[in-house]
Amino acid sequence: MYYNELETLPRDKLRELQDTQLRQIIGYVYERVPFYQEQFKKLGIQPGDIRSVEDLPGLPFTRKQDLKDHYPFGMLAVPREQTIRVHASSGTTGRATVVCYTRNDIDIFSEVMARSFIAAGARPGMLLHNAYGYGLFTGGLGTHYGAEKLGMTVVPVSGGMTQRQITLILDLKPEVICCTPSYAQTLGEEFKKMGITPQDLSLKYALLGAEPWTETIRANVDANLGVRSTNLYGLSEIIGPGVSQECIEGRAGSHIWEDHFYPEVVDANTGEPLPDGQEGVLIFTHLTREAMPLLRYWTGDITYLTHEPCACGRTHVRMGSIRGRADDMLIIRGANLYPTQIEEVLKSIPEVVPHYQVVVKREGTLDDVEVKVEVAEDVFREITQEAWSEDILEADHQMRNLRDSIQSEIKGIIGLNMKVTLMVPGTIPRSEGGKLRRVVDLRKL
Ligand code: ADP
Ligand code: ZN
C-alpha cells in the first residue's frame, strides 16, 4: 500500500517532474533570496542555465555556515509574516539553526510523513505512541502532523518520563511507536526488567531515527518491543523527519521522497558526485519548498545511494543507513574513524551488548581512544557467580580474556589500538528521550 501514487512513478517520469520543479525553484530563489542571486552572479550563471538535475553539480554547495551567517531569517524566500511555523535544529553540533515553514511547507511535511508511516507498516486508524520530543525539534510535531493526516490516533507523549510512557503503552495499546533508536532501547530494557514480554505488548511497528543506529540495535529493539522497526531519516534544514523512510517490505535502505528533495552523494573532500553504492556526503536540493528552499545543501551525513529496484515497488531512490556525520568522524592518530565502525566490531562479540561509549583523550601528543562496553547480563552473572561461589582469580581471568580479545578484534579490523573497558550491565548512560551522544571527545574541551 502507498500513500501517494507518485511513490511508484516510473523513473523517467519522475525525472521529468524533478526537472520541471527544479527549473521553477531556481527561478524562484534567484528572484527572492539575495544569497542565491549573489552566488549566481558571482559565478556568471543565469537561472536558465540550470535545465535539469544533471546540471546541479555546476552549482556550489549551501552549508550550515551559510544558514548561520544569515541567522535567523536571512535565507527566507517569503516575508516572515507568510510563514506559520519556526523550528530549530537540536543544536547537536554548535548553535541552533532556525528554519521556517509556510502553510504549504507544513502540508508537504505532513504528506512525506504520512507516506513514511504507510511505508513503515502503519495504517489509518492505528494508535501512535509518539515519543519524539515536541517543541523546537522537528521530530515531535513533524511525525504528529503526518500521522494525523494519515488518520491515525496520535498520543503526543514527547520524550522522557519513562515510567509514564510504559504505563501509556500498556494501557492505550498502541500499534505504532516513534522515537530515537536509543530511546526504543531504553523502553525495551524497562519492559524486560518488569518481566513484560513482547507478546504482552500491542506494538507492531517502530519508526526510529534522528541519530545513527545499526542492525544490532534493530535486532535488540525488535526483540524487546516485539516490533519490526524501520529507519526514519530527516533534518530540520530539509524539512525534519520524513526526508526518507525505510519500507517494511525491504528494510534495506530508506526511500528518499525525491519528488520533494533531490539527493546527491558527493566525495567529502573533493565534492565530486559519486556513483551508486559509494559512500560520501549526502546533499539535498529542495524542489518544492516555499519558505526557505536550499540548493545543494551539505548535510554532513555520510551514506550511499542505490537505484536497485525495491521489493515494495516504490521507484524512489534508497539511501543506506547513516554511517555518521562528517562532524562525528574522529581523526585518531591521522586515521579516520566513525563510532559506528566500533559498533560493527562489538556486534560480532556475543559476550557484550550494544550499549557503548567511545571516549577520546589526548595524552601528550597522542590521541587515546577508550571503548566502554557493557557485558551481556547472562555472561556477567555467570562470571561474577563464579567469583562469589568459588574462584575470584578465575573470574578475573575470564574478564581479562574477554577484554583482551575485544581489544585485539578492534585492532585487527579497524587497525587502531584502543583501550577496552568492560562495564557492569546497565551502567552506560541511556537515552532519556532524545538523541544519545555515544562519543565523548575530551580533546575538544
Ligand atoms: P541537529 O543537527 O542539531 O541534530 P536535527 O534535529 O535537524 O538537528 O538533526 C538532523 C540530523 O540527525 C541529521 O543530519 C543526521 O545527522 C541525524 N539523523 C536524523 N535521522 C537519522 C537517521 N535515521 N539515522 C542517522 N542519523 C539521523
Ligand atoms: Zn522499498
Side-chain angles (χ1 to χ4, degrees):
M1 184 181 166
Y2 314 110
Y3 185 75
N4 187 321
E5 59 194 20
L6 288 174
E7 293 170 53
T8 53
L9 200 64
R11 287 211 60 86
D12 52 340
K13 292 274 179 307
L14 182 58
R15 171 54 64 87
E16 267 174 40
L17 176 65
Q18 289 170 327
D19 287 346
T20 311
Q21 288 171 327
L22 180 70
R23 288 193 293 266
Q24 278 167 5
I25 202 117
I26 295 271
Y28 178 86
V29 296
Y30 184 82
E31 269 171 36
R32 290 162 176 255
V33 185
F35 170 77
Y36 283 120
Q37 194 171 92
E38 278 163 32
Q39 212 171 51
F40 273 56
K41 284 187 173 151
K42 237 189 259 162
L43 286 163
I45 41 179
Q46 295 293 321
D49 295 339
I50 308 293
R51 307 292 308 154
S52 151
V53 291
E54 276 163 34
D55 300 326
L56 278 172
L59 293 179
F61 300 109
T62 306
R63 294 181 185 260
K64 204 173 184 101
Q65 189 58 45
D66 296 320
L67 306 190
K68 290 189 172 157
D69 292 346
H70 295 84
Y71 175 90
F73 299 132
M75 292 291 279
L76 289 192
V78 300
R80 205 270 309 134
E81 291 76 5
Q82 282 175 27
T83 64
I84 61 166
R85 195 188 302 166
V86 173
H87 276 294
S89 78
S90 42
T92 310
T93 55
R95 185 176 176 189
T97 310
V98 169
V99 295
C100 295
Y101 304 73
T102 62
R103 191 171 300 281
N104 195 46
D105 291 336
I106 293 292
D107 285 345
I108 291 171
F109 197 179
S110 312
E111 150 87 30
V112 290
M113 264 318 308
R115 290 185 197 181
S116 300
F117 275 112
I118 291 275
R123 294 293 178 267
M126 285 186 178
L127 195 94
L128 170 68
H129 181 94
N130 192 4
Y132 273 126
Y134 280 68
L136 275 179
F137 172 55
T138 49
L141 284 170
T143 48
H144 184 109
Y145 273 59
E148 277 192 357
K149 186 171 179 113
L150 181 58
M152 299 177 79
T153 311
V154 188
V155 188
V157 202
S158 196
M161 298 221 261
T162 303
Q163 284 315 315
R164 188 178 69 175
Q165 307 239 1
I166 297 278
T167 307
L168 285 169
I169 292 173
L170 292 173
D171 293 351
L172 306 189
K173 305 200 184 328
E175 288 100 339
V176 187
I177 184 169
C178 280
C179 58
T180 58
S182 55
Y183 196 56
Q185 283 183 289
T186 300
L187 291 171
E189 280 188 345
E190 214 48 49
F191 281 121
K192 208 172 171 182
K193 267 193 226 153
M194 296 168 70
I196 295 167
T197 67
Q199 290 75 32
D200 302 331
L201 294 173
S202 53
L203 292 169
K204 291 197 183 85
Y205 307 108
L207 291 83
L208 308 182
E211 65 189 7
W213 58 306
T214 58
E215 291 302 322
T216 328
I217 296 178
R218 170 147 40 204
N220 177 274
V221 170
D222 284 9
N224 288 343
L225 293 181
V227 292
R228 279 169 63 73
S229 49
T230 49
N231 185 46
L232 169 62
Y233 167 86
L235 63 163
S236 50
E237 296 90 322
I238 299 308
I239 200 141
V243 172
S244 73
Q245 165 68 40
E246 215 169 31
C247 59
I248 191 89
E249 295 90 343
R251 294 216 295 175
S254 307
H255 291 284
I256 297 171
W257 305 127
E258 55 171 321
D259 50 327
H260 293 289
F261 321 115
Y262 183 79
E264 298 169 78
V265 165
V266 303
D267 185 288
N269 299 314
T270 64
E272 286 304 309
L274 292 174
D276 268 21
Q278 277 194 34
E279 273 189 354
V281 179
L282 187 58
I283 306 292
F284 285 107
T285 296
H286 280 129
L287 297 176
T288 52
R289 285 295 296 278
E290 282 180 351
M292 214 179 102
L294 301 174
L295 305 180
R296 300 197 88 205
Y297 185 69
W298 182 279
T299 65
D301 293 327
I302 308 290
T303 190
Y304 61 88
L305 297 178
T306 172
H307 287 85
E308 288 282 307
C310 184
C312 71
R314 290 179 179 82
T315 50
H316 290 215
V317 65
R318 279 173 292 159
M319 54 183 255
S321 57
I322 302 288
R323 178 177 280 288
R325 297 180 179 211
D327 318 352
D328 272 351
M329 191 185 75
L330 297 165
I331 301 182
I332 306 295
R333 286 168 239 151
N336 296 350
L337 173 73
Y338 287 104
T340 46
Q341 280 175 277
I342 299 177
E343 191 171 324
E344 286 294 316
V345 178
L346 295 178
K347 102 173 173 202
S348 64
I349 301 166
E351 290 90 350
V352 297
V353 292
H355 287 291
Y356 70 97
Q357 201 173 44
V358 179
V359 184
V360 190
K361 284 188 265 220
R362 180 161 289 152
E363 302 281 347
T365 56
L366 269 192
D367 300 322
D368 250 341
V369 184
E370 178 185 7
V371 179
K372 295 181 171 175
V373 61
E374 279 181 18
V375 178
E377 236 171 87
D378 46 340
V379 175
F380 184 77
R381 217 176 301 126
E382 206 174 290
I383 300 183
T384 45
Q385 215 122 49
E386 182 147 19
W388 287 115
S389 60
E390 26 194 322
D391 191 344
I392 292 184
L393 284 182
E394 173 54 27
D396 181 59
H397 181 68
Q398 283 187 30
M399 284 289 186
R400 278 168 197 274
N401 273 352
L402 176 58
R403 182 197 62 192
D404 292 348
S405 74
I406 298 174
Q407 246 162 231
S408 62
E409 192 78 11
I410 291 179
K411 167 88 182 147
I413 296 175
I414 301 178
L416 281 169
N417 275 318
M418 294 181 203
K419 177 181 173 199
V420 169
T421 307
L422 297 180
M423 303 289 287
V424 173
T427 53
I428 299 271
R430 302 292 197 266
S431 163
E432 288 169 6
K435 302 187 188 219
L436 185 66
R437 289 305 274 168
R438 287 197 163 89
V439 181
V440 183
D441 195 340
L442 299 172
R443 297 174 303 181
K444 290 184 183 156
L445 296 179

